[in-house]
Amino acid sequence: MKKNIAVILGDGIGPEVTQQSIIVLNAIAEQFKQEFIYTYCLMGADAIDKTGNPLPDETLDVCLKSDAILFGAIGHPKYDNDPTAKVRPEQGLLKLRKSLQLFANIRPVSTYPSLSHLSPLKEKQLEGVDFVVYRELTGGIYFGEKKVNEAYTEASDLCIYTKSEIERIAHLAFKAAQQRKKKLTLVDKANVLETSRLWRKVVQEIVPQYADVQVDYMFVDNAAMQIIVNPKQFDVILTENMFGDIISDEASVISGSLGLLPSASVGAATALFEPIHGSYPQAAGKDIANPIGSILSAAMLLEHFGLSDEAAVVREAVSWTLSNGFVTRDIDPVNSYFTSTIGELISDHVSGRIPSAVNHSNIELRKSTII
Ligand code: IPM
Ligand code: MN
């Protein structure tokens, strides 16, 4: 199978974590006789610096023509601390999502027994946690009209949804629930917001088409609490754009580190795969960031291509590193390994080049991943 992948390294730690995914994808290509062709493009602060535009036309063009997009991270502190900046890195990502109509952002949350000590939750609450957030990605308050008065003393962001925007992601979420534990929780704020009441109405109309799925409705403030108190109760969470942004970050720490979680954004055109973490500028260029969120996003990309065996091999290799203590410093600040070492170990595992006895001290010295 020959596939064209647009690669957007982006800002901060984006380049170094995405590079590890490429190494792993190359190992998969070699092992399974697949062909992946990469086209690198610019977006975010990197693109603003080089072209003045957070999403150059050329990037959009390449993305539209590709079979998938692998993306790193976006954001730079120089824009975060300047509320008056007219051009912002995030505009690039938002415009890309909108242009490609990537209306569903899928964020799976799973746990690893070897990392349970890192989770802020007790072991008893963690066992069996396995859910996925379906976050609407191209509507709501993110894309509604934005206003600010001339004196800059008043501002507003319009939250707006249409029935069809809700329906299309709801169907995807229901179908996912049918393949999983057959439970769907709609998270909203229907006791206050008109848009949330529309979400409930539209979802209730869809329910009869998925008779085998049990449906729950939960206010977002309660959901934020339930994710901590009893995360096991969730299977598929369906929610609007901003609630999904917030609760998926919250949910990510359950696994032990924000750096572990992948995501897929799907819609009308090319799908995009990215870790859920941000650009983590403090770590940029230091080779210390966790590449696993990106590598697991590459596994979701393989799944999207229908390459399930290949995706399983990547996930297996990731679990192997985690359970053998080959982790970055977000997971173990004392015995930590470099971003590039983890990438190399995972790709060596994919290629079947990891012997049963691994020499930890050689790896620490960055001599070779294997003896
Ligand atoms: C995310 C990010 C983005 C969002 C930002 C960078 C615009 O936080 O992908 O979750 O809010 O959607
Ligand atoms: Mn976010």
PDB file of all heavy atoms in Angstrom, residues 71 73-75 89-91 93-94 97 105 107 135 137 142 241-242 244-246 248-249 263 265 274-278, ligand 1:
ATOM      1  N   PHE A  71       0.555  15.508  12.619  1.00  0.00           N
ATOM      2  CA  PHE A  71       0.827  16.859  13.110  1.00  0.00           C
ATOM      3  C   PHE A  71       1.444  16.798  14.512  1.00  0.00           C
ATOM      4  O   PHE A  71       1.070  15.958  15.332  1.00  0.00           O
ATOM      5  CB  PHE A  71      -0.500  17.645  13.091  1.00  0.00           C
ATOM      6  CG  PHE A  71      -0.472  18.940  13.842  1.00  0.00           C
ATOM      7  CD1 PHE A  71       0.498  19.890  13.579  1.00  0.00           C
ATOM      8  CD2 PHE A  71      -1.409  19.194  14.833  1.00  0.00           C
ATOM      9  CE1 PHE A  71       0.536  21.077  14.297  1.00  0.00           C
ATOM     10  CE2 PHE A  71      -1.378  20.382  15.547  1.00  0.00           C
ATOM     11  CZ  PHE A  71      -0.403  21.321  15.279  1.00  0.00           C
ATOM     12  N   ALA A  73       2.613  19.838  17.189  1.00  0.00           N
ATOM     13  CA  ALA A  73       1.992  20.676  18.222  1.00  0.00           C
ATOM     14  C   ALA A  73       2.015  22.124  17.746  1.00  0.00           C
ATOM     15  O   ALA A  73       2.738  22.470  16.812  1.00  0.00           O
ATOM     16  CB  ALA A  73       2.773  20.541  19.521  1.00  0.00           C
ATOM     17  N   ILE A  74       1.228  22.942  18.409  1.00  0.00           N
ATOM     18  CA  ILE A  74       1.151  24.344  17.985  1.00  0.00           C
ATOM     19  C   ILE A  74       1.181  25.268  19.196  1.00  0.00           C
ATOM     20  O   ILE A  74       0.713  24.911  20.270  1.00  0.00           O
ATOM     21  CB  ILE A  74      -0.135  24.572  17.149  1.00  0.00           C
ATOM     22  CG1 ILE A  74       0.038  25.741  16.195  1.00  0.00           C
ATOM     23  CG2 ILE A  74      -1.359  24.771  18.025  1.00  0.00           C
ATOM     24  CD1 ILE A  74      -0.863  25.666  14.994  1.00  0.00           C
ATOM     25  N   GLY A  75       1.775  26.453  19.022  1.00  0.00           N
ATOM     26  CA  GLY A  75       1.741  27.468  20.080  1.00  0.00           C
ATOM     27  C   GLY A  75       3.121  27.956  20.458  1.00  0.00           C
ATOM     28  O   GLY A  75       4.097  27.203  20.405  1.00  0.00           O
ATOM     29  N   PRO A  89      -0.559  31.585  16.174  1.00  0.00           N
ATOM     30  CA  PRO A  89      -0.278  30.250  15.645  1.00  0.00           C
ATOM     31  C   PRO A  89      -1.533  29.371  15.578  1.00  0.00           C
ATOM     32  O   PRO A  89      -1.759  28.659  14.598  1.00  0.00           O
ATOM     33  CB  PRO A  89       0.721  29.666  16.647  1.00  0.00           C
ATOM     34  CG  PRO A  89       1.253  30.807  17.431  1.00  0.00           C
ATOM     35  CD  PRO A  89       0.298  31.937  17.322  1.00  0.00           C
ATOM     36  N   GLU A  90      -2.356  29.437  16.648  1.00  0.00           N
ATOM     37  CA  GLU A  90      -3.532  28.561  16.738  1.00  0.00           C
ATOM     38  C   GLU A  90      -4.511  28.780  15.594  1.00  0.00           C
ATOM     39  O   GLU A  90      -5.265  27.870  15.234  1.00  0.00           O
ATOM     40  CB  GLU A  90      -4.264  28.778  18.082  1.00  0.00           C
ATOM     41  CG  GLU A  90      -3.512  28.286  19.308  1.00  0.00           C
ATOM     42  CD  GLU A  90      -2.401  29.229  19.772  1.00  0.00           C
ATOM     43  OE1 GLU A  90      -2.257  30.333  19.195  1.00  0.00           O
ATOM     44  OE2 GLU A  90      -1.665  28.856  20.714  1.00  0.00           O
ATOM     45  N   GLN A  91      -4.487  30.001  15.019  1.00  0.00           N
ATOM     46  CA  GLN A  91      -5.384  30.272  13.877  1.00  0.00           C
ATOM     47  C   GLN A  91      -5.108  29.287  12.746  1.00  0.00           C
ATOM     48  O   GLN A  91      -6.010  28.916  11.999  1.00  0.00           O
ATOM     49  CB  GLN A  91      -5.169  31.702  13.355  1.00  0.00           C
ATOM     50  CG  GLN A  91      -5.689  32.773  14.284  1.00  0.00           C
ATOM     51  CD  GLN A  91      -5.105  34.154  13.947  1.00  0.00           C
ATOM     52  OE1 GLN A  91      -4.146  34.281  13.181  1.00  0.00           O
ATOM     53  NE2 GLN A  91      -5.681  35.194  14.538  1.00  0.00           N
ATOM     54  N   LEU A  93      -4.144  26.077  12.976  1.00  0.00           N
ATOM     55  CA  LEU A  93      -4.780  24.786  13.248  1.00  0.00           C
ATOM     56  C   LEU A  93      -6.301  24.884  13.111  1.00  0.00           C
ATOM     57  O   LEU A  93      -6.943  23.996  12.534  1.00  0.00           O
ATOM     58  CB  LEU A  93      -4.397  24.311  14.658  1.00  0.00           C
ATOM     59  CG  LEU A  93      -4.983  22.984  15.118  1.00  0.00           C
ATOM     60  CD1 LEU A  93      -4.573  21.841  14.185  1.00  0.00           C
ATOM     61  CD2 LEU A  93      -4.538  22.652  16.550  1.00  0.00           C
ATOM     62  N   LEU A  94      -6.867  25.976  13.630  1.00  0.00           N
ATOM     63  CA  LEU A  94      -8.330  26.129  13.564  1.00  0.00           C
ATOM     64  C   LEU A  94      -8.786  26.232  12.106  1.00  0.00           C
ATOM     65  O   LEU A  94      -9.779  25.623  11.710  1.00  0.00           O
ATOM     66  CB  LEU A  94      -8.782  27.349  14.373  1.00  0.00           C
ATOM     67  CG  LEU A  94      -8.511  27.255  15.883  1.00  0.00           C
ATOM     68  CD1 LEU A  94      -8.921  28.540  16.596  1.00  0.00           C
ATOM     69  CD2 LEU A  94      -9.239  26.079  16.516  1.00  0.00           C
ATOM     70  N   ARG A  97      -8.567  22.770  10.513  1.00  0.00           N
ATOM     71  CA  ARG A  97      -9.705  21.936  10.933  1.00  0.00           C
ATOM     72  C   ARG A  97     -10.953  22.309  10.151  1.00  0.00           C
ATOM     73  O   ARG A  97     -11.691  21.449   9.682  1.00  0.00           O
ATOM     74  CB  ARG A  97      -9.970  22.120  12.433  1.00  0.00           C
ATOM     75  CG  ARG A  97      -8.946  21.448  13.324  1.00  0.00           C
ATOM     76  CD  ARG A  97      -9.181  21.806  14.785  1.00  0.00           C
ATOM     77  NE  ARG A  97      -8.221  21.138  15.660  1.00  0.00           N
ATOM     78  CZ  ARG A  97      -8.067  21.422  16.947  1.00  0.00           C
ATOM     79  NH1 ARG A  97      -8.807  22.350  17.528  1.00  0.00           N
ATOM     80  NH2 ARG A  97      -7.186  20.764  17.667  1.00  0.00           N
ATOM     81  N   ASN A 105     -13.192  14.978  16.696  1.00  0.00           N
ATOM     82  CA  ASN A 105     -11.880  14.746  17.307  1.00  0.00           C
ATOM     83  C   ASN A 105     -12.035  13.586  18.298  1.00  0.00           C
ATOM     84  O   ASN A 105     -12.813  13.665  19.242  1.00  0.00           O
ATOM     85  CB  ASN A 105     -11.418  16.023  18.012  1.00  0.00           C
ATOM     86  CG  ASN A 105     -10.033  15.910  18.624  1.00  0.00           C
ATOM     87  OD1 ASN A 105      -9.818  16.362  19.741  1.00  0.00           O
ATOM     88  ND2 ASN A 105      -9.098  15.327  17.927  1.00  0.00           N
ATOM     89  N   ARG A 107     -10.524  11.115  21.037  1.00  0.00           N
ATOM     90  CA  ARG A 107      -9.429  11.052  22.011  1.00  0.00           C
ATOM     91  C   ARG A 107      -9.617   9.879  22.967  1.00  0.00           C
ATOM     92  O   ARG A 107     -10.358   9.972  23.940  1.00  0.00           O
ATOM     93  CB  ARG A 107      -9.363  12.373  22.804  1.00  0.00           C
ATOM     94  CG  ARG A 107      -9.081  13.551  21.904  1.00  0.00           C
ATOM     95  CD  ARG A 107      -8.894  14.857  22.650  1.00  0.00           C
ATOM     96  NE  ARG A 107      -8.257  15.831  21.774  1.00  0.00           N
ATOM     97  CZ  ARG A 107      -7.901  17.049  22.144  1.00  0.00           C
ATOM     98  NH1 ARG A 107      -8.115  17.457  23.373  1.00  0.00           N
ATOM     99  NH2 ARG A 107      -7.320  17.866  21.274  1.00  0.00           N
ATOM    100  N   ARG A 135     -15.147  14.624  20.527  1.00  0.00           N
ATOM    101  CA  ARG A 135     -15.273  16.074  20.686  1.00  0.00           C
ATOM    102  C   ARG A 135     -15.611  16.700  19.332  1.00  0.00           C
ATOM    103  O   ARG A 135     -14.877  16.486  18.358  1.00  0.00           O
ATOM    104  CB  ARG A 135     -13.935  16.617  21.209  1.00  0.00           C
ATOM    105  CG  ARG A 135     -13.796  18.116  21.112  1.00  0.00           C
ATOM    106  CD  ARG A 135     -12.378  18.574  21.415  1.00  0.00           C
ATOM    107  NE  ARG A 135     -12.247  20.003  21.195  1.00  0.00           N
ATOM    108  CZ  ARG A 135     -11.098  20.661  21.117  1.00  0.00           C
ATOM    109  NH1 ARG A 135      -9.957  20.011  21.260  1.00  0.00           N
ATOM    110  NH2 ARG A 135     -11.077  21.948  20.909  1.00  0.00           N
ATOM    111  N   LEU A 137     -15.460  19.400  16.591  1.00  0.00           N
ATOM    112  CA  LEU A 137     -14.228  20.174  16.418  1.00  0.00           C
ATOM    113  C   LEU A 137     -14.335  21.385  15.498  1.00  0.00           C
ATOM    114  O   LEU A 137     -13.400  22.172  15.411  1.00  0.00           O
ATOM    115  CB  LEU A 137     -13.128  19.222  15.897  1.00  0.00           C
ATOM    116  CG  LEU A 137     -11.679  19.620  16.139  1.00  0.00           C
ATOM    117  CD1 LEU A 137     -11.371  19.756  17.613  1.00  0.00           C
ATOM    118  CD2 LEU A 137     -10.715  18.622  15.509  1.00  0.00           C
ATOM    119  N   TYR A 142     -15.755  28.130  19.496  1.00  0.00           N
ATOM    120  CA  TYR A 142     -14.475  28.318  18.826  1.00  0.00           C
ATOM    121  C   TYR A 142     -14.634  29.075  17.503  1.00  0.00           C
ATOM    122  O   TYR A 142     -13.746  29.805  17.083  1.00  0.00           O
ATOM    123  CB  TYR A 142     -13.834  26.962  18.504  1.00  0.00           C
ATOM    124  CG  TYR A 142     -12.950  26.399  19.579  1.00  0.00           C
ATOM    125  CD1 TYR A 142     -13.455  26.147  20.849  1.00  0.00           C
ATOM    126  CD2 TYR A 142     -11.614  26.106  19.328  1.00  0.00           C
ATOM    127  CE1 TYR A 142     -12.644  25.615  21.835  1.00  0.00           C
ATOM    128  CE2 TYR A 142     -10.807  25.570  20.309  1.00  0.00           C
ATOM    129  CZ  TYR A 142     -11.322  25.324  21.555  1.00  0.00           C
ATOM    130  OH  TYR A 142     -10.518  24.799  22.527  1.00  0.00           O
ATOM    131  N   ASN A 241     -17.437  21.333  21.254  1.00  0.00           N
ATOM    132  CA  ASN A 241     -16.031  21.677  21.069  1.00  0.00           C
ATOM    133  C   ASN A 241     -15.287  22.059  22.367  1.00  0.00           C
ATOM    134  O   ASN A 241     -14.317  21.403  22.754  1.00  0.00           O
ATOM    135  CB  ASN A 241     -15.958  22.819  20.037  1.00  0.00           C
ATOM    136  CG  ASN A 241     -14.610  22.902  19.354  1.00  0.00           C
ATOM    137  OD1 ASN A 241     -13.629  22.371  19.844  1.00  0.00           O
ATOM    138  ND2 ASN A 241     -14.560  23.577  18.213  1.00  0.00           N
ATOM    139  N   MET A 242     -15.757  23.094  23.051  1.00  0.00           N
ATOM    140  CA  MET A 242     -14.964  23.567  24.191  1.00  0.00           C
ATOM    141  C   MET A 242     -15.035  22.628  25.397  1.00  0.00           C
ATOM    142  O   MET A 242     -14.028  22.408  26.076  1.00  0.00           O
ATOM    143  CB  MET A 242     -15.347  24.974  24.614  1.00  0.00           C
ATOM    144  CG  MET A 242     -14.329  25.493  25.629  1.00  0.00           C
ATOM    145  SD  MET A 242     -14.241  27.256  25.743  1.00  0.00           S
ATOM    146  CE  MET A 242     -15.727  27.604  26.618  1.00  0.00           C
ATOM    147  N   GLY A 244     -15.283  19.510  25.232  1.00  0.00           N
ATOM    148  CA  GLY A 244     -14.410  18.393  24.858  1.00  0.00           C
ATOM    149  C   GLY A 244     -12.943  18.739  25.029  1.00  0.00           C
ATOM    150  O   GLY A 244     -12.136  17.905  25.437  1.00  0.00           O
ATOM    151  N   ASP A 245     -12.592  19.973  24.717  1.00  0.00           N
ATOM    152  CA  ASP A 245     -11.210  20.428  24.895  1.00  0.00           C
ATOM    153  C   ASP A 245     -10.819  20.293  26.363  1.00  0.00           C
ATOM    154  O   ASP A 245      -9.783  19.735  26.709  1.00  0.00           O
ATOM    155  CB  ASP A 245     -11.099  21.894  24.441  1.00  0.00           C
ATOM    156  CG  ASP A 245      -9.697  22.435  24.603  1.00  0.00           C
ATOM    157  OD1 ASP A 245      -8.740  21.714  24.247  1.00  0.00           O
ATOM    158  OD2 ASP A 245      -9.548  23.569  25.095  1.00  0.00           O
ATOM    159  N   ILE A 246     -11.698  20.779  27.222  1.00  0.00           N
ATOM    160  CA  ILE A 246     -11.376  20.824  28.651  1.00  0.00           C
ATOM    161  C   ILE A 246     -11.385  19.427  29.277  1.00  0.00           C
ATOM    162  O   ILE A 246     -10.427  19.025  29.937  1.00  0.00           O
ATOM    163  CB  ILE A 246     -12.356  21.768  29.384  1.00  0.00           C
ATOM    164  CG1 ILE A 246     -12.199  23.197  28.831  1.00  0.00           C
ATOM    165  CG2 ILE A 246     -12.115  21.730  30.894  1.00  0.00           C
ATOM    166  CD1 ILE A 246     -13.290  24.156  29.245  1.00  0.00           C
ATOM    167  N   SER A 248     -11.085  16.528  27.921  1.00  0.00           N
ATOM    168  CA  SER A 248     -10.102  15.556  27.424  1.00  0.00           C
ATOM    169  C   SER A 248      -8.722  15.821  28.033  1.00  0.00           C
ATOM    170  O   SER A 248      -7.968  14.883  28.286  1.00  0.00           O
ATOM    171  CB  SER A 248     -10.060  15.504  25.902  1.00  0.00           C
ATOM    172  OG  SER A 248      -9.715  16.744  25.368  1.00  0.00           O
ATOM    173  N   ASP A 249      -8.387  17.077  28.298  1.00  0.00           N
ATOM    174  CA  ASP A 249      -7.134  17.345  29.023  1.00  0.00           C
ATOM    175  C   ASP A 249      -7.224  16.785  30.441  1.00  0.00           C
ATOM    176  O   ASP A 249      -6.282  16.185  30.958  1.00  0.00           O
ATOM    177  CB  ASP A 249      -6.854  18.861  29.120  1.00  0.00           C
ATOM    178  CG  ASP A 249      -5.858  19.324  28.060  1.00  0.00           C
ATOM    179  OD1 ASP A 249      -5.889  18.769  26.950  1.00  0.00           O
ATOM    180  OD2 ASP A 249      -5.067  20.246  28.354  1.00  0.00           O
ATOM    181  N   SER A 263      -4.610  11.465  19.365  1.00  0.00           N
ATOM    182  CA  SER A 263      -5.949  11.801  18.900  1.00  0.00           C
ATOM    183  C   SER A 263      -6.022  11.705  17.382  1.00  0.00           C
ATOM    184  O   SER A 263      -5.005  11.772  16.684  1.00  0.00           O
ATOM    185  CB  SER A 263      -6.377  13.199  19.362  1.00  0.00           C
ATOM    186  OG  SER A 263      -5.930  14.190  18.469  1.00  0.00           O
ATOM    187  N   SER A 265      -8.480  13.309  14.164  1.00  0.00           N
ATOM    188  CA  SER A 265      -9.558  14.218  13.775  1.00  0.00           C
ATOM    189  C   SER A 265     -10.018  13.800  12.394  1.00  0.00           C
ATOM    190  O   SER A 265      -9.210  13.775  11.452  1.00  0.00           O
ATOM    191  CB  SER A 265      -9.059  15.660  13.739  1.00  0.00           C
ATOM    192  OG  SER A 265      -8.588  16.026  15.013  1.00  0.00           O
ATOM    193  N   GLU A 274      -2.756  13.710  15.758  1.00  0.00           N
ATOM    194  CA  GLU A 274      -1.866  14.540  16.591  1.00  0.00           C
ATOM    195  C   GLU A 274      -1.967  14.132  18.048  1.00  0.00           C
ATOM    196  O   GLU A 274      -3.023  13.707  18.506  1.00  0.00           O
ATOM    197  CB  GLU A 274      -2.239  16.030  16.457  1.00  0.00           C
ATOM    198  CG  GLU A 274      -3.661  16.323  16.888  1.00  0.00           C
ATOM    199  CD  GLU A 274      -4.012  17.807  17.008  1.00  0.00           C
ATOM    200  OE1 GLU A 274      -3.229  18.562  17.601  1.00  0.00           O
ATOM    201  OE2 GLU A 274      -5.091  18.185  16.539  1.00  0.00           O
ATOM    202  N   PRO A 275      -0.865  14.277  18.792  1.00  0.00           N
ATOM    203  CA  PRO A 275      -0.966  14.045  20.237  1.00  0.00           C
ATOM    204  C   PRO A 275      -1.842  15.128  20.858  1.00  0.00           C
ATOM    205  O   PRO A 275      -1.947  16.221  20.297  1.00  0.00           O
ATOM    206  CB  PRO A 275       0.481  14.178  20.715  1.00  0.00           C
ATOM    207  CG  PRO A 275       1.189  14.968  19.661  1.00  0.00           C
ATOM    208  CD  PRO A 275       0.474  14.682  18.372  1.00  0.00           C
ATOM    209  N   ILE A 276      -2.438  14.860  22.009  1.00  0.00           N
ATOM    210  CA  ILE A 276      -3.325  15.893  22.546  1.00  0.00           C
ATOM    211  C   ILE A 276      -2.559  16.982  23.311  1.00  0.00           C
ATOM    212  O   ILE A 276      -3.104  18.025  23.628  1.00  0.00           O
ATOM    213  CB  ILE A 276      -4.503  15.320  23.395  1.00  0.00           C
ATOM    214  CG1 ILE A 276      -4.147  15.180  24.867  1.00  0.00           C
ATOM    215  CG2 ILE A 276      -5.050  14.033  22.870  1.00  0.00           C
ATOM    216  CD1 ILE A 276      -5.404  15.231  25.718  1.00  0.00           C
ATOM    217  N   HIS A 277      -1.279  16.724  23.583  1.00  0.00           N
ATOM    218  CA  HIS A 277      -0.519  17.732  24.340  1.00  0.00           C
ATOM    219  C   HIS A 277      -0.205  18.964  23.475  1.00  0.00           C
ATOM    220  O   HIS A 277      -0.325  18.936  22.250  1.00  0.00           O
ATOM    221  CB  HIS A 277       0.777  17.136  24.893  1.00  0.00           C
ATOM    222  CG  HIS A 277       1.715  16.628  23.847  1.00  0.00           C
ATOM    223  ND1 HIS A 277       2.367  17.462  22.970  1.00  0.00           N
ATOM    224  CD2 HIS A 277       2.126  15.380  23.537  1.00  0.00           C
ATOM    225  CE1 HIS A 277       3.141  16.752  22.167  1.00  0.00           C
ATOM    226  NE2 HIS A 277       3.003  15.478  22.482  1.00  0.00           N
ATOM    227  N   GLY A 278       0.237  20.013  24.150  1.00  0.00           N
ATOM    228  CA  GLY A 278       0.571  21.253  23.455  1.00  0.00           C
ATOM    229  C   GLY A 278       2.039  21.285  23.058  1.00  0.00           C
ATOM    230  O   GLY A 278       2.713  20.252  22.998  1.00  0.00           O
TER     231      GLY A 278
HETATM  232  C1  IPM B   1      -6.313  21.078  21.319  1.00  0.00           C
HETATM  233  C2  IPM B   1      -5.675  22.412  21.553  1.00  0.00           C
HETATM  234  C3  IPM B   1      -6.279  23.410  20.577  1.00  0.00           C
HETATM  235  C4  IPM B   1      -7.761  23.527  20.893  1.00  0.00           C
HETATM  236  C5  IPM B   1      -5.621  24.795  20.549  1.00  0.00           C
HETATM  237  C6  IPM B   1      -4.140  24.710  20.340  1.00  0.00           C
HETATM  238  C7  IPM B   1      -6.256  25.691  19.537  1.00  0.00           C
HETATM  239  O1  IPM B   1      -5.817  22.816  22.870  1.00  0.00           O
HETATM  240  O2  IPM B   1      -6.153  20.533  20.220  1.00  0.00           O
HETATM  241  O3  IPM B   1      -6.951  20.554  22.226  1.00  0.00           O
HETATM  242  O4  IPM B   1      -8.158  24.256  21.799  1.00  0.00           O
HETATM  243  O5  IPM B   1      -8.532  22.857  20.213  1.00  0.00           O
END
